[in-house]
Amino acid sequence: MKIAVLLKIVPDTETRFQLNPEETDVITDRTTEWILGPYDEYAVEEAIRIKEKVGGQVITVTIGSGNEEKSIRKAMAMGVDEAILVESEGLAGSDPLTIAKVLAEQVKTLDADIILAGKMATDTSDSFVGPAVAQLLGIPVITEISSLEVREDGVTATRTASGRSEKFESKLPVVLTADKSLNDPRYPKLPDIMKAKKKPLHKKESAISPRGAITQIKAAFPPQKAGGTKIEGTTEEVVSVLMDGLTTKEKIF
Amino acid sequence: MSIAVFLESYQGKMAKASLETLKAATVMAEKLGISVFGIIIDDTVDTLVQEAGKFGVATVKSSAGVTIYHPTMYARIITNATKDASAVFLPATVWGNEIAPMVAVKLDATPVSDIIGIEDVGTFKRSIHGNKIHTTVKAEGNLVVTVRSGVFDLPGEVGGSASNEPISTETVDSDNFIKLAEVLVAQGDRPELTEADIVVSGGRGTGGPENFAQHIEPLADAMGAAVGASRAVVDAGWRPHGEQVGQTGKFVSPKVYVAVGISGAIQHLAGMSTADVIVAINTDSEAPIFKVADYGVVGDLNDVVPKLVEAIKQVKAA
């Protein structure tokens, strides 16, 4: 079975950002730690588990701007066999539809049975490329899955949507996007880290050009909430002060 | 020209996120001086159409007789209904997030996901890096916009009525093999985390999973709240991932957020600091959660929570 994973490399979710002087974006520099997209890491892990169970090959597809190789090698150390990297700063910062088109263009050449992706990019907060790639390839999609069962001719996947649990069945090929509860990603072992250095990383170019349909014109820190009011005292006192606030001032009850 | 809004519903019940999305679409439509029409897909649609009318929608395009959700079919119905619209708004729910990209591809439109504000026509506020940064983006062309839950107010009831324009239910291509085989409705009657007006969350400071049953759940039920959890608690396996609030969990924006035994790591604050009122209960008076708390109770949750539950029950009974 051939499994493709759409893999985005993002700044660490613990990063404390600074704004650029123009205040149009955050600054990423040499101090920025780049990691596998947290949800993409579940997709990578799931792809490797499918390969380990039924055999096959796992190939990641990434659009990057020069910060990706270290993380891609980590995915390889986890068990990814090959990687495709389209290096283009313009495309990497492009609108989600252009990114989806570039990914679909690359995935098409792989003839994959299953295409996995994270449910969301934690940097740009987009949940766009998974379903968009499915639509561009004319194949079905099941998003935000929390369990997956793979058979020779299809998959069964479950997810939670608006508090309901939904169970889907699909034939192959199919696009699946991973939620956190899908699996527990493994830590690569040292021999696998060494082996990963020699796995093929194919640098590709794309004929697709960015559309410039979306421009980010401003970035700012969210307004700080004026909190900081502490209530101290005996249990009776603190509960009384809190209840007074919730009933009289906030009118919650 | 007009703006389309997908009014998501399930078994005849309109999602709260749909009404918030309607509000967002109306804000943009008013700036353009154009109208908003709704799209409803469900088994029976009459009551839903009436509800849309009550909130000021003049026209609804509806597809009745649809008993089961199917992403490709929904995307096709919405695309066909919005060919002449300048923008399509969908709630950023699981369904909305799944359908919107397909609609954007079909219309070759410009996608703007998960907006938290509208500054002008085509100029939106978003939040990136897990709510740590707010951005303003300018989008050109026909738009497909998804709207984050809990950010926009509900539209005012104007008591109007909507005309219903049935649209044909598209059959699904035989080459698109997917079906929703089963839907299991969540047990219990607590509200859904992202839609709840009040959220009560527990962190590692609760001491263990048994204390969720003993303290967090009774407090949530007394307040009519949804239950949330910190990442530490979910990673420790105390609570299911669906309850995680924060950057790798859910973003919530309730009227009241009660953080019990949660220290307030940056990635947790990112998921809840837009709540109107934040209550924190923690023994450590230096915990970062107190910096954002409107009511920062320094105390042991084992003492404070039972007394609080009792007090709430008394007030509610009165």
Side-chain angles (χ1 to χ4, degrees):
Chain A
M1 194 165 282
K2 205 165 191 184
I3 309 143
V5 182
L6 311 179
L7 176 62
K8 187 175 192 185
I9 310 304
V10 300
D12 192 337
T13 54
E14 298 295 324
T15 308
R16 287 175 187 271
F17 289 103
Q18 303 289 317
L19 299 179
N20 65 9
E22 301 80 31
E23 297 192 356
T24 56
D25 208 346
V26 298
I27 296 173
T28 54
D29 57 22
R30 272 179 305 174
T31 64
T32 310
E33 187 73 28
W34 295 84
I35 60 167
L36 298 174
Y39 292 108
D40 298 0
E41 196 171 347
Y42 301 113
V44 167
E45 175 64 32
E46 198 63 21
I48 297 163
R49 288 185 190 194
I50 298 167
K51 182 184 79 167
E52 287 169 347
K53 207 168 155 204
V54 303
Q57 195 189 14
V58 179
I59 305 168
T60 59
V61 183
T62 301
I63 304 172
S65 53
N67 305 300
E68 290 73 23
E69 184 159 344
K70 192 181 131 226
S71 300
I72 292 172
R73 294 287 172 201
K74 187 198 165 188
M76 287 173 161
M78 290 170 73
V80 167
D81 298 293
E82 289 182 36
I84 292 172
L85 175 59
V86 179
E87 251 179 336
S88 160
E89 205 150 335
L91 287 176
S94 175
D95 79 289
L97 184 52
T98 304
I99 287 173
K101 285 177 180 171
V102 176
L103 291 170
E105 178 191 44
Q106 296 298 329
V107 169
K108 213 172 194 165
T109 65
L110 300 177
D111 205 20
D113 302 292
I114 295 177
I115 298 147
L116 276 154
K119 76 160 182 180
M120 174 182 143
T122 54
D123 56 349
T124 55
S125 299
D126 278 306
S127 312
F128 189 83
V129 299
V133 165
Q135 182 66 43
L136 289 163
L137 297 175
I139 62 174
V141 62
I142 311 169
T143 55
E144 306 199 20
I145 63 167
S146 50
S147 82
L148 177 66
E149 198 186 300
V150 177
R151 295 176 308 276
E152 219 164 87
D153 61 340
V155 297
T156 303
T158 60
R159 71 164 177 211
T160 307
S162 305
R164 302 182 295 273
S165 172
E166 297 180 335
K167 182 171 163 188
F168 286 90
E169 285 172 6
S170 175
K171 297 244 166 116
L172 304 177
V174 63
V175 174
L176 306 165
T177 75
D179 201 349
K180 181 173 176 171
S181 41
L182 187 57
N183 56 47
D184 255 325
R186 69 195 67 193
Y187 290 103
K189 298 192 184 75
L190 189 62
D192 296 327
I193 294 170
M194 302 310 288
K195 264 186 249 164
K197 290 182 180 162
K198 297 197 184 90
K199 289 188 177 175
L201 195 161
H202 310 282
K203 296 208 174 167
K204 298 263 177 86
E205 286 187 0
S206 174
I208 297 166
S209 50
R211 289 198 302 179
I214 304 177
T215 322
Q216 188 167 302
I217 53 174
K218 199 176 147 215
F221 295 105
Q224 278 295 313
K225 224 179 132 49
T229 314
K230 278 187 202 158
I231 306 168
E232 292 177 84
T234 65
T235 302
E236 283 72 20
E237 285 164 3
V238 296
V239 168
S240 155
V241 173
L242 175 57
M243 281 305 289
D244 190 47
L246 292 180
T247 48
T248 316
K249 180 154 179 269
E250 314 295 348
K251 306 204 186 318
I252 305 299
F253 305 115
Chain B
M1 276 299 199
S2 52
I3 291 179
V5 186
F6 171 51
L7 298 169
E8 179 181 324
S9 60
Y10 177 72
Q11 291 188 343
K13 190 172 181 299
M14 183 95 72
K16 187 177 158 205
S18 298
L19 296 174
E20 295 166 0
T21 304
L22 171 61
K23 172 73 180 186
T26 308
V27 169
M28 184 156 132
E30 278 170 1
K31 289 182 194 289
L32 284 163
I34 60 176
S35 65
V36 169
F37 71 90
I39 301 168
I40 290 172
I41 307 170
D42 211 317
D43 189 8
T44 52
V45 299
D46 294 350
T47 321
L48 291 163
V49 172
Q50 278 176 22
E51 192 178 350
K54 216 168 65 183
F55 286 104
V57 177
T59 312
V60 171
K61 296 188 181 184
S62 72
S63 210
V66 179
T67 52
I68 196 122
Y69 171 73
H70 187 296
T72 316
M73 177 177 69
Y74 273 54
R76 185 169 313 162
I77 294 170
I78 294 168
T79 307
N80 287 347
T82 54
K83 288 240 153 73
D84 301 321
S86 56
V88 188
F89 280 61
L90 303 95
T93 52
V94 172
W95 286 8
N97 284 341
E98 188 167 67
I99 301 164
M102 297 191 217
V103 174
V105 168
K106 282 167 171 278
L107 296 172
D108 202 32
T110 305
V112 189
S113 334
D114 207 26
I115 63 159
I116 58 168
I118 298 176
E119 299 213 327
D120 204 346
V121 175
T123 306
F124 301 97
K125 285 198 82 163
R126 300 189 66 236
S127 86
I128 60 171
H129 296 292
N131 284 348
K132 281 184 284 210
I133 305 290
H134 284 181
T135 60
T136 307
V137 298
K138 220 170 145 55
E140 284 160 30
N142 285 347
L143 307 177
V144 173
V145 180
T146 59
V147 180
R148 180 175 295 182
S149 296
V151 177
F152 286 87
D153 297 332
L154 295 181
E157 286 193 37
V158 296
S161 71
S163 69
N164 187 5
E165 199 179 295
I167 47 176
S168 72
T169 303
E170 299 286 318
T171 47
V172 178
D173 277 355
S174 55
D175 62 353
N176 210 329
F177 295 107
I178 182 175
K179 67 167 190 197
L180 177 53
E182 204 179 327
V183 178
L184 304 163
V185 176
Q187 304 220 317
D189 45 13
R190 285 196 195 111
E192 214 270 311
L193 188 53
T194 53
E195 294 208 336
D197 283 336
I198 306 177
V199 174
V200 176
S201 283
R204 214 202 305 257
T206 53
E210 64 285 357
N211 285 344
F212 268 79
Q214 202 177 338
H215 294 310
I216 306 299
E217 291 182 11
L219 180 57
D221 292 341
M223 298 183 88
V227 171
S230 71
R231 185 168 83 181
V233 157
V234 170
D235 286 351
W238 296 359
R239 298 301 290 183
H241 165 249
E243 292 181 359
Q244 186 183 323
V245 173
Q247 188 167 3
T248 50
K250 296 207 166 78
F251 297 136
V252 299
S253 201
K255 291 199 179 82
V256 184
Y257 188 87
V258 186
V260 184
I262 291 178
S263 64
I266 182 167
Q267 74 91 28
H268 187 80
L269 297 179
M272 45 61 76
S273 54
T274 53
D276 294 344
V277 177
I278 295 173
V279 179
I281 302 172
N282 207 307
T283 43
D284 174 12
S285 66
E286 299 303 311
I289 190 80
F290 285 124
K291 290 206 183 92
V292 298
D294 303 278
Y295 297 88
V297 178
V298 184
D300 186 339
L301 67 100
N302 294 297
D303 302 328
V304 173
V305 172
K307 285 264 189 291
L308 185 58
V309 170
E310 207 177 292
I312 293 166
K313 282 184 180 160
Q314 273 177 16
V315 168
K316 282 202 164 174

